[in-house]
Amino acid sequence: MRILAATARFSESYTEARQKFLAAADDARLAVESLPNSGAQGPGGEPLLTDVVRAGPTEAERIVVATSGVHGVEGFCGSACQIGFLREGLWRALPSGTALLLVHALNPYGFAHLRRVNEDNVDVNRNFIEHDRPAPANPAYEEIHPFLVPSDWDGPARASADEGIGALAAARGLSYVQAAVQGGQYAHPDGLFYGGSRPVWSNLTWRSIIRRHLAASRRVAFIDLHSGLGPYGQGEAIFRGRFAGDGYARARGWYGADVTSSEDGSSTSAVIVGNMATALDQELAGAELTSITLEFGTVSGPEVLNAMRGDHWLHLHGDPASAGGPAIKAAIRDAFYCDRDDWKDRVWERAAEILTRAFAGIGAG
Ligand SMILES: [Zn+2]
């Protein structure tokens, strides 16, 4: 196994990350499926694609799936983990009869434009609800929404909005405010964590990948790579899927007793409806699913929230090409990607540990 410097796995842009991922797949002689998003393009007009690499048998009954960049800018972290899985030969340790599927940059627009949302201002990881039914309500978000994206970012509207958020946090607690925002909402298309009113491109793409690659699978280990929540450099494994089923216990058996759950309150993450694991539950009713989010901490919660507020303000009321644009874009990138060797090393070590445990778990029993 080759040991790479952290910089070999991480990239400075979506395009560089994609090139590194494709080159790593090519060197491993693994086929790539590239799925273009024809409804959007990068900031320089470059094409945007989600790339899928598969290793192992075609009709495998057991499959480990690792996805990156459903939250766009979080792809700096997830892409690096996937490039490491390939470059450092971890994929060669697949148990027999087991496949590995790597889905790179599921929201390529957000990755390329340094946004957490997609081209429709939608949080893709809140979009997997049943859109023909009434959308889930989030009354707590309604209290905060007026303060999240002020009409100016450096003037009186911002100052007044910050006061509003501060007052809510003082009255109800910071965790109340964070959970209210993170929980997702379906009422304000211009707001934060908006789950959309119909299935977006990344949703349809993820479902098509599931149908093409997982239809024959009876055991599925799903690892969705994220960043921006929790202590610096720490990789929290958060159970996703049906809390009432046996998946949580199995995830703890595979990954350790420190696997958390939003449903029982042990996680730093709020309960999230319409997340990517929901699509697996819906599409693969008869399969055994063990789904986690692997969430890497970066900077403090308020810093992450303010970076997202600034980014939403820039795209709704400002102009990314204006003089103030680069600082706001740098802030959101830094909120989800710590460009430091110690952070990169901790991310990689934890990601490699989780993949190794997934192989052991799915291969046993
Ligand atoms: Zn995320």
Side-chain angles (χ1 to χ4, degrees), residues 237-310:
I238 307 165
F239 171 71
R240 294 283 182 230
R242 292 198 180 95
F243 184 66
D246 55 3
Y248 188 24
R250 196 165 45 249
R252 290 187 146 201
W254 291 8
Y255 299 114
D258 57 353
V259 172
T260 61
S261 161
S262 303
E263 278 76 6
D264 70 8
S266 58
S267 175
T268 54
S269 168
V271 173
I272 293 173
V273 294
N275 63 69
M276 283 177 65
T278 310
L280 288 175
D281 285 327
Q282 293 163 346
E283 300 283 338
L284 305 174
E288 178 202 280
L289 304 173
T290 311
S291 301
I292 59 165
T293 288
L294 184 55
E295 179 72 69
F296 288 100
T298 50
V299 295
S300 75
E303 282 177 274
V304 174
L305 179 61
N306 280 335
M308 284 189 282
R309 292 172 67 209

Side-chain angles (χ1 to χ4, degrees), residues 77-350:
C77 176
S79 165
C81 299
Q82 294 173 317
I83 290 165
F85 295 159
L86 295 173
R87 279 284 176 215
E88 311 229 4
L90 269 71
W91 67 276
R92 295 184 191 278
L94 268 173
S96 67
T98 307
L100 172 67
L101 195 73
L102 302 178
V103 180
H104 185 265
L106 192 62
N107 165 12
Y109 167 91
F111 196 164
H113 287 267
L114 308 177
R115 304 205 70 194
R116 189 173 167 284
V117 291
N118 81 338
E119 58 274 16
D120 311 304
N121 196 52
V122 164
D123 179 335
V124 180
N125 209 33
R126 307 291 184 280
N127 187 242
F128 296 92
I129 60 165
E130 293 180 43
H131 289 281
D132 52 359
R133 293 193 181 180
N138 182 351
Y141 178 85
E142 297 297 322
E143 293 176 70
I144 299 162
H145 176 71
F147 307 128
L148 288 175
V149 188
S151 57
D152 65 60
W153 192 240
D154 290 311
R158 165 79 188 280
S160 153
D162 285 2
E163 276 176 32
I165 293 174
L168 262 176
R172 308 283 190 95
L174 186 59
S175 59
Y176 172 85
V177 171
Q178 286 176 329
V181 179
Q182 284 170 19
Q185 54 89 14
Y186 299 86
H188 301 277
D190 59 346
L192 267 63
F193 293 73
Y194 172 60
S197 61
R198 62 184 66 84
V200 297
W201 179 85
S202 299
N203 176 330
L204 300 172
T205 300
W206 174 228
R207 287 187 189 278
S208 79
I209 292 167
I210 294 169
R211 288 170 192 169
R212 271 197 310 287
H213 287 278
L214 276 69
S217 302
R218 309 310 303 158
R219 297 194 97 186
V220 179
F222 175 45
I223 303 163
D224 190 24
L225 298 157
H226 287 253
S227 62
L229 200 59
Y232 177 88
Q234 190 168 304
E236 179 184 349
I238 307 165
F239 171 71
R240 294 283 182 230
R242 292 198 180 95
F243 184 66
D246 55 3
Y248 188 24
R250 196 165 45 249
R252 290 187 146 201
W254 291 8
Y255 299 114
D258 57 353
V259 172
T260 61
S261 161
S262 303
E263 278 76 6
D264 70 8
S266 58
S267 175
T268 54
S269 168
V271 173
I272 293 173
V273 294
N275 63 69
M276 283 177 65
T278 310
L280 288 175
D281 285 327
Q282 293 163 346
E283 300 283 338
L284 305 174
E288 178 202 280
L289 304 173
T290 311
S291 301
I292 59 165
T293 288
L294 184 55
E295 179 72 69
F296 288 100
T298 50
V299 295
S300 75
E303 282 177 274
V304 174
L305 179 61
N306 280 335
M308 284 189 282
R309 292 172 67 209
D311 181 65
H312 276 253
W313 174 84
L314 186 65
H315 286 265
L316 273 175
H317 302 301
D319 176 5
S322 66
I328 289 174
K329 298 314 292 188
I332 186 159
R333 194 194 84 140
D334 293 351
F336 290 98
Y337 169 42
C338 300
D339 194 0
R340 293 172 49 166
D341 282 352
D342 65 328
W343 187 82
K344 293 175 181 179
D345 286 341
R346 289 178 67 181
V347 165
W348 167 244
E349 281 160 23
R350 177 67 168 148

